[in-house]
């Protein structure tokens, strides 16, 4: 081991390569979308909501700052869970809250996927699933979407299968399986099926109703997209109470802080505000998709707050040109597929700016 020679000049080129678990050493680690700081740009790359959160969120935060920060938060998020349960018409013991839905997905993976176990998910889809499986030293079974974004149930079946993830609506495509199709997949599995509804607030349908008939379904929700709260980090899952009881043992004791829980509760209580921002985003989304098609792109019929554009101008070059003009979209590359641009639905002014820049590109 190398030693320090002068204070302040500690050479710590460590033996970490030898210490770290081999499966961690082999990983590349998840790379989140770029979060440019400062400056003026149009940010359409990580599917944030362009509108501010409900005014009730601010009031709840002020109250929490004043009264609650001295104390630990409720480790089992009782008030938040009661609100979410009432909204969805389920029992509070069917809800588990997490530090963003990514934390919820981590908790699920840690509970169900052990070393050498198989977890399956479609591709192209949310890239975090593979990272979560790698962290467990599990094995990923990747199921390709067809060209029209459909899946075959049988493609998921694998020896040693312990968990299936399905982003529905899917990212980057924005397409969704119907609840009937998801039910068919759930029925065919002898393991939990995570229906990741991070974009459920923008979709035509959701899979919450399957919980009554399919006890292996776990629905996850996020506050980052529909509720404009990506900055506070809060998500939750709805599942059979027996599943939730096991997952409760896996989560960190205080995985949600008092501010996030208060913000989330207030946001859920303002469904009228959600409906209002949602309808603005859906209208802008259709306008964006139509404009992209007019410009020669294939844009999927999206049920998320983003549009997946392929087949127009070369994606890599366009991404770069947009970035040079302070318009950030997400360039996505998946093995075996041509690269595409995933463009978040911003305000009308932001989308006008994007389209103006796109039309003016050399
Ligand atoms: C954004 C996103 C998440 C993560 O949401 P957080 O609540 O911000 O952690 C999960 N799944 C999908 C498919 C997403 O796009």
């Amino acid at each position: 081991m190398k030693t320090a020679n002068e204070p302040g000049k500690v050479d710590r080129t460590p033996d970490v390569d030898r210490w770290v678990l081999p499966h961690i050493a082999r990983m590349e680690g998840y790379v989140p979308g770029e979060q440019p700081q400062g400056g003026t740009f149009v940010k359409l790359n990580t599917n944030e909501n362009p509108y501010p959160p409900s005014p009730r969120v601010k009031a709840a935060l002020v109250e929490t700052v004043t009264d609650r920060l001295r104390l630990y938060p409720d480790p089992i998020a009782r008030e938040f869970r009661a609100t979410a349960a009432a909204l969805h018409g389920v029992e509070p013991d069917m809800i588990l809250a997490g530090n963003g839905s990514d934390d919820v997905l981590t908790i699920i993976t840690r509970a169900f996927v052990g070393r050498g176990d198989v977890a399956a998910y479609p591709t192209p889809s949310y890239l975090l699933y593979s990272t979560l499986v790698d962290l467990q030293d599990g094995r990923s079974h990747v199921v390709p979407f067809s060209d029209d974004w459909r899946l075959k149930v049988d493609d998921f079946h694998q020896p040693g299968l312990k968990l299936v993830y399905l982003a529905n609506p899917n990212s980057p495509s924005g397409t969704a399986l119907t609840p009937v199709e998801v039910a068919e997949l759930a029925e065919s599995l002898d393991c939990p099926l995570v229906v990741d509804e991070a974009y459920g607030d923008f979709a035509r349908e959701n899979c919450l109703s399957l919980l009554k008939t399919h006890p292996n379904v776990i629905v996850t929700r996020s506050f980052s997209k529909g509720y404009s709260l990506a900055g506070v980090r809060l998500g939750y899952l709805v599942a059979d109470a027996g599943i939730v009881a096991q997952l409760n043992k896996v989560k960190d004791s205080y995985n949600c802080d008092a501010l996030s829980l208060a913000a989330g509760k207030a946001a859920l209580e303002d469904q009228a505000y959600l409906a209002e921002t949602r309808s603005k985003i859906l209208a802008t989304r259709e306008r964006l998709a139509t404009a992209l098609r007019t410009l020669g792109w294939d844009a999927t019929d999206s049920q998320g707050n983003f549009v997946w554009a392929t087949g127009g101008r070369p994606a890599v070059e366009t991404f770069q040109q947009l970035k040079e003009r302070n318009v950030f979209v997400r360039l996505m590359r998946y093995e075996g597929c041509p690269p595409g641009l995933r463009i978040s639905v911003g305000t009308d002014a932001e989308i006008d700016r994007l389209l103006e820049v796109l039309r003016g590109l050399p």
Side-chain angles (χ1 to χ4, degrees), residues 100-102 105 126 129 167 196 198-199 222-225 233-234:
S101 66
D102 285 350
L105 294 169
Y126 190 35
Y129 306 140
D196 178 344
Y199 300 105
S222 171
F223 282 87
S224 303
K225 289 37 187 268
R233 312 304 304 135
L234 187 69

Side-chain angles (χ1 to χ4, degrees), residues 76-97 211 215 217-219 236-249 251:
I76 54 165
R78 263 167 293 216
E79 284 186 45
F80 169 79
R81 283 170 46 238
T83 304
L87 176 67
H88 298 310
V90 301
E91 295 300 318
D93 62 1
M94 294 176 70
I95 310 272
L96 181 133
L211 293 166
V217 168
I218 303 175
V219 174
Y236 61 100
L237 64 80
V238 194
D240 172 80
I243 290 180
V244 172
Q246 296 299 329
L247 298 177
N248 259 316
K249 300 185 222 168
K251 77 174 192 69

Side-chain angles (χ1 to χ4, degrees), residues 46-47 99-103 105 125-126 128-129 167-171 196-199 220-225 229-230 233-235 306 342:
T46 51
N47 295 347
N99 181 37
S101 66
D102 285 350
D103 178 41
L105 294 169
S125 187
Y126 190 35
L128 182 71
Y129 306 140
N168 202 57
N170 186 49
S171 166
D196 178 344
E197 292 190 349
Y199 300 105
T220 64
R221 289 289 178 96
S222 171
F223 282 87
S224 303
K225 289 37 187 268
L229 288 172
R233 312 304 304 135
L234 187 69
F306 55 89
R342 194 192 67 185

Side-chain angles (χ1 to χ4, degrees), residues 3 25 44 61 74 78 82 109 126 132 200 238 263-264 271 305 338 341 349:
T3 46
L44 305 172
L61 287 173
D74 179 0
R78 263 167 293 216
T109 310
Y126 190 35
L132 296 177
V238 194
Q271 289 297 305
N305 63 336
L341 300 180

